[in-house]
Amino acid sequence: MTYTGRSRLADFARGLTALVVFLFFLVGCPVAMYAMGGSPIPDRIPSWEEISATLMRQDTDQSVFLATLFLIGWGAWCLFIVTVCSEAVNYLAGRSRAAASRPVRPLQELVRNLVATATLTFSAAASLASSASAATTMHAVTGVHAAAGPESGGQGHLSPEQDAPPQGSAESEWTPLLADEPPARPKSDHHEARTHVVKRGETLWNLARRTYGSGDRYPEIFEKSRNIDQPNGIPALTDPDVIHPGQLVRLPRLSTPDEASSPSPAASPRPKPHNTPPEQETQSSTRTPAPPSSTSGRTTTSPVPSPVVAPPADRSASPPPSSPDDQDDAGSPLAISLPSGSLIGLGLAAALSVAVAATRLHRRRRRPLQSDPDAAEYVPEPPIPTPVLKAHKAHLDTYADREASVPSDPELVRKDLLTPEPDHLVVGTRDGQAVTIPLAGLSLGLSGDGAHAAARAITTELLPKSRRYRAEIVIPEADAEALFPGTDITGLARAVEGLIITPSLNEAVEHLEAELLRRSRMRQTAELPDVAALRIDDPAEPLPTMLLVAAAPTHDATAVYNSATVHALAMLGRRHSIGALLLGPWKDGTGLALADDGTVTVANGPCADQFTGARLFHLTADDADDMLQTIQTATGSEPILPAPVGSTGTPPEPAPESAHSLVPPPRPSVEGRQAPARLQVLGPVLLHTADGPITSGMRKCAKQLLAYLALHPKGATRDQAIGALWPDLVPESAVIQFNTATTNIRKALRAATGLAEPKYVLHTAGHYRIDPDLIDVDLWQLTTTLMDAEQADDNTERIDALALVGDLYTGEFASGLEYEWANAHREYLRRAVIDALGNFVQLTQQEQPDRALATLERAITYDPYSEPLYREVMRLQARLGRPDAVRRTYQLLGSRLDEIDAEPNEDTHQLMAALSRPKPDVRNARPSPRRER
């Protein structure tokens, strides 16, 4: 925000008034009391007899009363002097003093406000005195604004190639953190380090990346910070992988070429602008920066002229303490294009990935156990929309890009539960860099053809984060219906606790005003500067990041009031974590005009430089509707949907036939012969020989092809495999990838088995299939056993077959392989195995209850979130007379469901209560006497 001349005059006037009041209390009051009552110090100390006589006689001349008043006045003035000295010392030292006891607290607050306000007199006077030479001083310090003429478009900010000060200036020694407020003008001191307070969600890797441009320098921060004395109640820094909010870390200053013989790439000075004259460079490098209170530090066009994005990290260095999962990841895509034309960021893709994982887990949790094979019938779940699946896959691909393990569904959900309240969002790109907006104090207006699509993308990304009191979105009902046409926004608001739909803008503003007042009182009571500090002080207090999304007020009287109120909320929201996103022209904040593709055509306001030439993420209404449905199912609530139709009006792609049925595997030509190789697809995809697993030489594409062919024992064409495994590649590249995978399989197996003649992957009649004589597949063995159990003639044969299922199911199908066909068969196979184990329990629980109970407990390890499984275990434990085991099973279910932010439903709770209730002993009960007629 620009510090204008009017605001400087207002600050000077306020400070001068406070100074006059302060001098009146400090000098005027004692002078007046001395003139009226004389000195408060008596000439001599009176005796006790004189004091008693004075107090006992009648006060006819009011002398005792007046003397008492003067003594109270002089005592209050002395207390005022002591409080002034204490507060002045604390203010100059920059520390906050604890609140005094209640009788003195009003005086302490008065003095504190007077001292703080009176200092405005001097700082504002210095600003007014130096305002005449501010422009010349700023020109001399930067040395580049004079050259920003037609080439820069008159924007007054540096291009990406020119965003660094000249070599030797103070700016070349330090890069401000993105999460910190940028200093008005960094001083060119030579301190070894500066201290930073850790915020929620930060890691040493992120701090090093944002500070130095490379996360690999996090060990330097750890070594400099491990011996720092931490504040009271904050643990010491002992592990680079574990840091806590509120901890102090020391960020070392980058070495200059004169101080280090071999500086790192992150510390090397950046090139100078070509249009800077030599004499300007010399003047810029030798000039002393102005103090923070000077106007020269406040007359820049923008504190951060463009989004700061660190260069890619060096992959050859040591791994980071934790894998960041945000838009700042090196090598991660800044934007993801969807087939419908939508453009989303990695943040929304990550949120949708968590929603997909939570949806799958909630569906597994509710699915009933089918223990009767004759009545069992596969009922497919509603399909997850195609745009959501593409965003989910794009997010998981980032793990493969940085060679990290792909997280499972429970790991994604557990990680999301630990994320803090969002404080910023990446909303677009500019010149290949991310455009980030802070949510606290946001005052952004969007207009033009692409306004609704961009606001839709911002709101949709924030909605998944509104769970667990992390974010709250307030939207008037009419604006919600305009933003998301065709979506049951009311049903979504019932499922998502952080979505507040109000009847009109007035109610939305009142809701935000009430929350602002509540947070302001909490902040003043705790004597903390902002909501971020309140969250650290009391993490259990719900203080979500709040965002108003509404149409910009028009020009009638009510709208003018609402406009002023919204602007005031945004200004005060910087401390209270409240922001506003307006649809329409917005002159009170930053206004952007957007084209259809999200490109910013016109930017006005305080942050216009940041958005000039940027392209914002945008969502079509159909894609947003699909994403909101998945966000709702992630809460465990299934919306009522019409006939399944894709976002483009075409039916969704059917799941492969093998995903909903057991395909008979091929029989080897010679029964009982040991194959030279074995393929494992239950768990990680691995090839085994007699010497052990093949751990080297296998390409990723070869493992993917083997898993796909294991699902198609009768064979699949090359086009079918390419369409399932590499749908995004052009045909020529996809054919090369397929041929490379086939060649790699044959080469690796020939080298491992020593058999150079076999092909291992046969090609007959245009179909590729695994040779069953040379490769045993664990999936085929499990499938054969399940089919034998279904086709058994009696219960004895069925029990013998089902007893082998638990040993053969060694893991979920192709873990780590993220394709829709793989996920479909993975879920179907898990259900088939659990149903088979349930059938085994049904057949054995009468004669072998302990064996049946052990089988159920084993089934829980395959699906730890299935409530019907836990209920069956509790029933069987109650039959065996183990009430304590029933309660432990219920507690285990509760702890497992806590991992996915769920609770046992009412049926399970009532069952636990019924099974734990002691039963009456009918053997010792007396018969009730008959009633005589």
Side-chain angles (χ1 to χ4, degrees):
M1 182 178 179
T2 306
Y3 192 49
T4 61
R6 180 178 299 178
S7 60
R8 284 193 290 268
L9 287 174
D11 286 347
F12 180 77
R14 289 168 50 212
L16 185 60
T17 304
L19 184 62
V20 170
V21 174
F22 178 74
L23 291 177
F24 171 75
F25 285 121
L26 188 65
V27 179
C29 285
V31 170
M33 288 188 295
Y34 184 84
M36 291 186 293
S39 174
I41 302 175
D43 297 334
R44 63 181 182 86
I45 299 177
S47 63
W48 176 248
E49 290 77 9
E50 293 175 339
I51 296 175
S52 300
T54 303
L55 293 177
M56 294 298 295
R57 69 179 175 85
Q58 189 174 4
D59 189 19
T60 56
D61 56 353
Q62 306 296 327
S63 59
V64 176
F65 174 73
L66 293 177
T68 303
L69 288 181
F70 276 113
L71 290 176
I72 294 175
W74 281 108
W77 181 78
C78 292
L79 182 61
F80 177 78
I81 292 297
V82 172
T83 307
V84 166
C85 295
S86 175
E87 292 300 324
V89 170
N90 288 327
Y91 184 82
L92 294 176
R95 59 175 182 263
S96 178
R97 184 189 175 197
S101 58
R102 187 161 298 276
V104 187
R105 186 178 300 175
L107 181 62
Q108 182 190 33
E109 293 180 355
L110 173 64
V111 171
R112 182 176 298 175
N113 294 333
L114 284 176
V115 171
T117 308
T119 57
L120 292 176
T121 306
F122 309 101
S123 61
S127 299
L128 289 171
S130 59
S131 60
S133 59
T136 305
T137 303
M138 196 64 211
H139 182 278
V141 170
T142 58
V144 294
H145 290 288
E151 295 81 354
S152 61
Q155 298 299 329
H157 63 277
L158 301 180
S159 63
E161 294 80 6
Q162 299 172 341
D163 61 350
Q167 181 180 0
S169 65
E171 286 83 344
S172 64
E173 297 183 359
W174 192 258
T175 304
L177 294 177
L178 286 176
D180 298 337
E181 293 184 2
R185 198 68 180 168
K187 295 185 179 182
S188 57
D189 57 352
H190 294 282
H191 295 298
E192 290 298 325
R194 81 165 191 173
T195 302
H196 171 73
V197 181
V198 176
K199 300 179 178 64
R200 288 190 181 185
E202 289 184 335
T203 63
L204 293 186
W205 171 267
N206 285 336
L207 291 176
R209 183 182 185 82
R210 288 153 47 195
T211 308
Y212 310 121
S214 175
D216 300 323
R217 305 192 62 162
Y218 76 90
E220 301 178 26
I221 301 179
F222 176 70
E223 290 299 327
K224 291 288 185 180
S225 308
R226 61 192 308 174
N227 296 324
I228 293 182
D229 293 333
Q230 302 294 340
N232 293 333
I234 303 298
L237 183 63
T238 58
D239 187 351
D241 293 348
V242 181
I243 60 176
H244 303 276
Q247 279 184 330
L248 301 179
V249 295
R250 186 169 290 123
L251 305 178
R253 181 175 58 87
L254 293 178
S255 301
T256 60
D258 296 336
E259 297 170 338
S261 58
S262 58
S264 63
S268 59
R270 291 178 286 185
K272 306 173 186 178
H274 299 293
N275 53 1
T276 306
E279 54 269 25
Q280 241 181 344
E281 295 175 7
T282 305
Q283 184 179 5
S284 169
S285 62
T286 58
R287 187 175 183 89
T288 303
S293 60
S294 173
T295 313
S296 61
R298 297 179 178 176
T299 55
T300 56
T301 305
S302 174
V304 183
S306 62
V308 184
V309 176
D314 185 6
R315 297 291 184 184
S316 62
S318 58
S322 60
S323 297
D325 189 19
D326 52 22
Q327 200 81 32
D328 296 333
D329 288 349
S332 299
L334 291 177
I336 301 169
S337 298
L338 300 181
S340 60
S342 298
L343 186 72
I344 64 174
L346 188 59
L348 177 54
L352 293 174
S353 190
V354 174
V356 170
T359 297
R360 292 172 178 167
L361 293 177
H362 279 294
R363 288 175 175 176
R364 285 168 53 183
R365 166 198 167 198
R366 295 190 304 265
R367 180 187 174 270
L369 184 63
Q370 300 288 349
S371 57
D372 188 358
D374 297 329
E377 181 181 356
Y378 181 79
V379 179
E381 299 283 0
I384 295 177
T386 302
V388 177
L389 291 177
K390 289 188 177 296
H392 173 57
K393 187 176 185 304
H395 169 246
L396 295 184
D397 285 344
T398 61
Y399 288 88
D401 293 340
R402 60 176 181 257
E403 299 180 355
S405 59
V406 177
S408 62
D409 288 349
E411 289 171 346
L412 279 174
V413 175
R414 284 195 294 266
K415 181 179 179 181
D416 179 69
L417 295 179
L418 300 176
T419 56
E421 295 82 359
D423 57 358
H424 71 278
L425 283 180
V426 178
V427 297
T429 61
R430 187 184 73 167
D431 298 331
Q433 298 178 343
V435 177
T436 306
I437 60 172
L439 293 176
L442 178 67
S443 181
L444 182 64
L446 304 178
S447 60
D449 296 334
H452 278 69
R456 205 176 287 129
I458 295 174
T459 308
T460 305
E461 180 174 350
L462 200 58
L463 266 176
K465 303 174 183 179
S466 62
R467 300 200 63 204
R468 299 184 71 85
Y469 315 105
R470 293 174 296 182
E472 187 173 290
I473 305 171
V474 184
I475 313 180
E477 185 175 4
D479 299 323
E481 294 175 352
L483 201 60
F484 300 102
T487 301
D488 183 13
I489 198 68
T490 305
L492 181 66
R494 287 194 297 266
V496 181
E497 61 224 10
L499 178 60
I500 309 297
I501 306 296
T502 61
S504 65
L505 179 60
N506 291 334
E507 283 80 359
V509 170
E510 291 175 359
H511 177 80
L512 292 175
E513 285 181 322
E515 184 63 20
L516 177 67
L517 291 175
R518 184 182 78 90
R519 297 184 178 195
S520 179
R521 287 194 296 268
M522 292 175 58
R523 187 175 58 81
Q524 292 176 359
T525 302
E527 295 187 342
L528 293 174
D530 51 26
V531 166
L534 281 175
R535 290 168 178 162
I536 297 174
D537 181 67
D538 188 1
E541 179 65 31
L543 293 169
T545 299
M546 304 185 69
L547 181 66
L548 171 67
V549 181
T554 53
H555 300 289
D556 54 25
T558 305
V560 171
Y561 170 76
N562 286 333
S563 177
T565 307
V566 171
H567 178 62
L569 284 171
M571 293 299 101
L572 296 174
R574 295 178 181 176
R575 286 188 173 186
H576 302 91
S577 197
I578 299 175
L581 177 66
L582 288 309
L583 298 173
W586 182 243
K587 298 181 179 179
D588 293 330
T590 302
L592 306 178
L594 305 178
D596 283 335
D597 61 349
T599 302
V600 178
T601 57
V602 179
N604 298 307
C607 302
D609 293 343
Q610 180 182 3
F611 294 98
T612 302
R615 188 185 183 195
L616 303 190
F617 302 138
H618 50 277
L619 269 180
T620 64
D622 291 336
D623 285 350
D625 183 58
D626 291 338
M627 294 176 183
L628 294 184
Q629 288 178 12
T630 307
I631 292 171
Q632 182 172 349
T633 57
T635 64
S637 171
E638 291 284 347
I640 300 176
L641 302 177
V645 177
S647 60
T648 58
T650 59
E653 297 180 1
E657 181 182 356
S658 60
H660 295 168
S661 62
L662 295 176
V663 180
R667 299 285 182 177
S669 58
V670 180
E671 294 291 342
R673 180 181 176 183
Q674 182 70 30
R678 182 173 63 89
L679 173 61
Q680 170 190 323
V681 293
L682 297 178
V685 180
L686 283 175
L687 275 173
H688 297 261
T689 64
D691 298 330
I694 302 176
T695 57
S696 61
M698 287 294 297
R699 290 176 175 263
K700 181 180 178 181
C701 61
K703 295 181 179 181
Q704 294 171 346
L705 180 58
L706 284 173
Y708 183 78
L709 293 179
L711 283 185
H712 298 79
K714 296 180 181 180
T717 65
R718 184 177 63 182
D719 292 340
Q720 289 174 339
I722 288 175
L725 296 172
W726 307 290
D728 298 330
L729 296 182
V730 296
E732 295 80 6
S733 300
V735 170
I736 295 174
Q737 189 83 325
F738 179 87
N739 295 337
T740 301
T742 306
T743 302
N744 181 246
I745 294 171
R746 291 169 175 168
K747 183 178 179 180
L749 283 173
R750 287 168 181 170
T753 61
L755 303 176
E757 295 297 331
K759 291 187 175 181
Y760 298 97
V761 176
L762 303 178
H763 180 217
T764 57
H767 286 67
Y768 290 82
R769 63 186 179 90
I770 296 174
D771 189 345
D773 292 330
L774 299 176
I775 302 177
D776 286 334
V777 182
D778 57 355
L779 175 63
W780 294 353
Q781 297 175 6
L782 176 62
T783 303
T784 301
T785 303
L786 291 173
M787 296 182 69
D788 291 343
E790 287 184 1
Q791 299 169 4
D793 296 331
D794 52 36
N795 288 339
T796 302
E797 292 184 5
R798 182 172 290 113
I799 290 174
D800 292 340
L802 293 174
L804 303 175
V805 172
D807 295 330
L808 294 176
Y809 186 70
T810 56
E812 61 181 16
F813 172 75
S815 60
L817 195 62
E818 281 298 325
Y819 291 99
E820 186 55 24
W821 54 267
N823 286 321
H825 189 80
R826 187 178 298 140
E827 185 59 28
Y828 173 76
L829 192 63
R830 180 188 290 109
R831 293 183 176 189
V833 169
I834 291 177
D835 288 343
L837 296 180
N839 187 18
F840 178 80
V841 170
Q842 192 75 17
L843 296 173
T844 59
Q845 63 179 346
Q846 296 297 332
E847 298 180 358
Q848 298 175 310
D850 290 328
R851 186 181 182 187
L853 181 59
T855 303
L856 282 175
E857 292 174 348
R858 188 172 191 176
I860 285 179
T861 63
Y862 301 148
D863 195 353
Y865 306 103
S866 174
E867 278 196 67
L869 271 179
Y870 287 89
R871 288 198 289 264
E872 290 298 324
V873 171
M874 292 162 61
R875 291 189 183 99
L876 196 50
Q877 288 172 338
R879 281 187 52 195
L880 295 174
R882 302 173 184 175
D884 292 339
V886 172
R887 287 189 289 270
R888 288 196 300 269
T889 301
Y890 182 81
Q891 293 171 358
L892 176 61
L893 171 62
S895 63
R896 292 284 173 81
L897 294 183
D898 280 341
E899 298 175 358
I900 61 174
D901 195 21
E903 296 177 346
N905 59 30
E906 188 61 26
D907 294 340
T908 307
H909 179 72
Q910 292 179 0
L911 176 64
M912 191 276 297
L915 296 178
S916 301
R917 189 180 304 118
K919 297 181 180 180
D921 190 355
V922 297
R923 294 173 298 179
N924 298 328
R926 297 181 179 179
S928 58
R930 296 182 180 179
R931 181 179 300 177
E932 297 182 359
R933 294 184 178 179

